[in-house]
Amino acid sequence: MKNPDQTNKPEPSSDGALLPYGRQSVTDDDIAAVVSVLQGDWLTTGPAVDAFEAALSEITGAEHVVSCSSGTAALHLALLAAGIGPGDSVIVPANTFLATANTARLVGAEVVFADVDPKSGQMLAEHAEAAFARADRQRIAGVMPVYFAGQCAAPAALASFAGAHGLRIIEDACHALGTSYETGADSHPVGRCDHADMATFSFHPVKTITTGEGGAITTRDADLAEKLRLFRNHGMTRDPAKLANESLAHDPSGDVNPWYYEMAEPGLNYRISDIQCALGASQLKRLPAIVKHRRALVAHYTEKLSALAPVVQPLEVVESCRAAWHLQVVRIDFAAAGLTRAEVMNRLRAQGIGSQVHYIPVPWQPYYKGRYGQTGLPGASAYYDTCLSLPLFESLTFAEVDRVVDTLEAILRGHQV
Ligand SMILES: *Cc1c(COP(=O)(O)O)cnc(C)c1O
């Protein structure tokens, strides 16, 4: 990894150089990798896609990797491959990005929102169980744990709950590339799917590595992998063993006609290009360094922020999880500080520091409120009242973290900044 001081500073904006809450880093090696694909024969469905999938497989330990056009497409494909649809319901934590719930609706399933722990923003197995009990008249087919901020709460506990009720587990691991967790003496990388049917990832520019737009699904199940590939590409197959239209498919000598393809179920074009995969594979090469730097930045934040306790608290650390930290979330007692969250965000911004709220509870969105009414989710509500995401990205420096925390301290203490 280049010296973080030298990589890609944000563009100066009208209010000075803004530190956003997240951003990509693109190195000269990344650019060279993309240019070489542009000079080659394959812009899509080519060898760079295979190489990116192989690299993801190596890093996550996943047996099968299916890359696709976004994290949202990954969630949609996973639900389609799992056969979840009309008549089914899936459990989704309230603290997530819209896409986790929306893709369930897009396959025709209903969403049962689960509460989250107010200190970590994570859905625990007990929250999934409570959601399951609350929806006792619905046919619950799956659960979609969200590994919020890069932490993963209790995948093994969730797997035993899901196993007891025959539920599919589709992990929304869009924040958790590079995260691992422990059960006893065993270490499990997120994405190897030791306790899940499928895991989904996003490579949007704010995520841990980027392809511009992009995503992937990992699984241990060869049948699911095959379905994912079919749904990614219109449901089209040329596999001679799968062809149903005997006479259309074959010439009189019994060979498959050279132009021939078939579809058994409609799919989509959710392919990712070789251009994007070249960027992704180049970025993946430095994933260990990126994750190490993110962990060091979060440790530095935590130490510096301890001076602001109890008004500012770190996100609760999930036991047995070694997070790759996508987000630097703090929990702020805004009432104790005598400031609203909007005032704090605006004052940070005036000092060139971006911040964000992850997330507005999805069941509060007008669409879901209209469909399911008010759902009492006290943990998600309490978490939402306090959360604020501060800058965290590959090229962020320790000196910039110091500046962020010092500025936050001055704002919260009511000093002129
Ligand atoms: C980013 C994200 C998604 C969607 O990924 P895209 O690549 O933007 O489509 C889904 N879920 C979570 C939790 C995310 O953070």
Side-chain angles (χ1 to χ4, degrees), residues 7-55:
T7 42
N8 296 298
K9 286 280 143 197
E11 293 296 324
S13 59
S14 54
D15 51 358
L18 180 77
L19 285 182
Y21 85 85
R23 77 183 309 279
Q24 76 281 8
S25 283
V26 175
T27 65
D28 293 345
D29 285 351
D30 294 344
I31 292 167
V34 171
V35 169
S36 97
V37 163
L38 287 170
Q39 290 165 332
D41 290 333
W42 299 87
L43 296 188
T44 189
T45 334
V49 177
D50 297 338
F52 182 53
E53 290 183 351

Side-chain angles (χ1 to χ4, degrees), residues 70-72 75 96-97 99-100 146 172 174-175 202 204 207 214 359:
S70 70
T72 305
L75 289 161
T96 186
F97 183 56
T100 326
V146 175
D172 183 337
C174 289
H175 294 187
S202 164
H204 181 275
K207 304 292 161 68
Y359 292 97

Side-chain angles (χ1 to χ4, degrees), residues 32 67 97 111-112 132 144 158 176 200 219 230 273 315 355 407:
S67 58
F97 183 56
V111 177
V112 180
F132 185 83
M144 303 173 79
L158 202 67
T200 60
T219 181
L230 279 172
S273 70
L315 202 61
S355 60
T407 306

Side-chain angles (χ1 to χ4, degrees), residues 347 406-407 409-417:
R347 287 175 202 191
D406 291 343
T407 306
E409 176 164 18
I411 291 167
L412 292 175
R413 294 200 195 285
H415 299 153
Q416 225 48 51
V417 288

Side-chain angles (χ1 to χ4, degrees), residues 2 20 79 140-141 154-155 176 190 216-217 239 280 285 293 309 323 364 396 413:
K2 278 190 182 173
L79 286 156
I140 311 278
V190 167
I217 311 100
D239 180 351
K285 283 188 194 156
H293 185 57
W364 297 2
L396 190 70
R413 294 200 195 285

Side-chain angles (χ1 to χ4, degrees), residues 86-100:
D88 295 327
S89 298
V90 293
I91 297 170
V92 174
N95 181 39
T96 186
F97 183 56
L98 301 170
T100 326

